Amino acid sequence: ATPPAAGSPPQVTTDGNSALAYGLLAAGVRHGAAYPITPATEVLEYLSSALPKVGGVFVQAEDELASVGMVIGAAWNGARAFTCPSGPGVSLMTEFIGLAYFAEIPVTIIDVQRGGPSTGMPTRCSTSAMRCARSCGLRLLSRSKGSARVSPTVRAGFSEP
């Protein structure tokens, strides 16, 4: 690799999930609850150790439904909270997403998409998780490059109750 030119701003090379985790911390998130599911597991692994260092809490839930319920409870009590499933996990959360929507409780649900429905590329390429989220009236942030995930995560604002 070629070193950066003298006087150029410092650069960080990382993967998209790590950039997303850094963005969540920079945005002031202090509560996370999730059930590990690929390809979102790396976000959870990093934040499970990083959140306690900044006075936060991370809970590994028994399933996706429990994780979104914990996040709704934390947000209802004033915490900036998130959960981070993948496509099939979001499908399991729809009833609680409806509760948060109608009760006007601001939660952040980060859908780390797979290459296709459920099993990924072996079946076919799809954007079904994005279409599902959009039809539920959720606010969507989308980036195709991992390095571009930090900025929109911070700009998302993580609405406070």
Side-chain angles (χ1 to χ4, degrees):
T2 306
S8 64
Q11 296 183 356
V12 175
T13 302
T14 187
D15 63 279
N17 282 349
S18 296
L20 179 61
Y22 301 147
L24 288 167
L25 290 174
V29 168
R30 295 298 178 260
H31 179 83
Y35 179 76
I37 183 170
T38 57
T41 307
E42 290 130 347
V43 176
L44 316 178
E45 286 175 352
Y46 176 77
L47 289 173
S48 66
S49 63
L51 279 172
K53 293 176 185 173
V54 294
V57 175
F58 181 83
V59 179
Q60 179 178 327
E62 63 269 20
D63 57 33
E64 289 88 348
L65 188 59
S67 71
V68 75
M70 291 175 197
V71 167
I72 290 170
W76 191 23
N77 283 286
R80 289 185 176 188
F82 84 99
T83 187
C84 190
S86 186
V90 175
S91 298
L92 296 171
M93 296 178 175
T94 54
E95 289 186 52
F96 264 150
I97 291 171
L99 168 68
Y101 178 82
F102 284 106
E104 298 182 0
I105 301 169
V107 296
T108 300
I109 301 167
I110 300 161
D111 182 7
V112 180
Q113 278 194 277
R114 295 177 174 175
S118 188
T119 57
M121 294 301 286
T123 50
R124 65 177 189 187
C125 291
S126 175
T127 58
S128 56
M130 293 288 278
R131 286 194 304 267
C132 175
R134 204 168 97 197
S135 68
C136 292
L138 302 179
R139 180 178 175 188
L140 300 177
L141 299 172
S142 177
R143 289 287 188 195
S144 60
K145 294 182 181 177
S147 62
R149 290 184 186 169
V150 174
S151 180
T153 303
V154 174
R155 281 196 317 261
F158 289 95
S159 301
E160 295 183 38

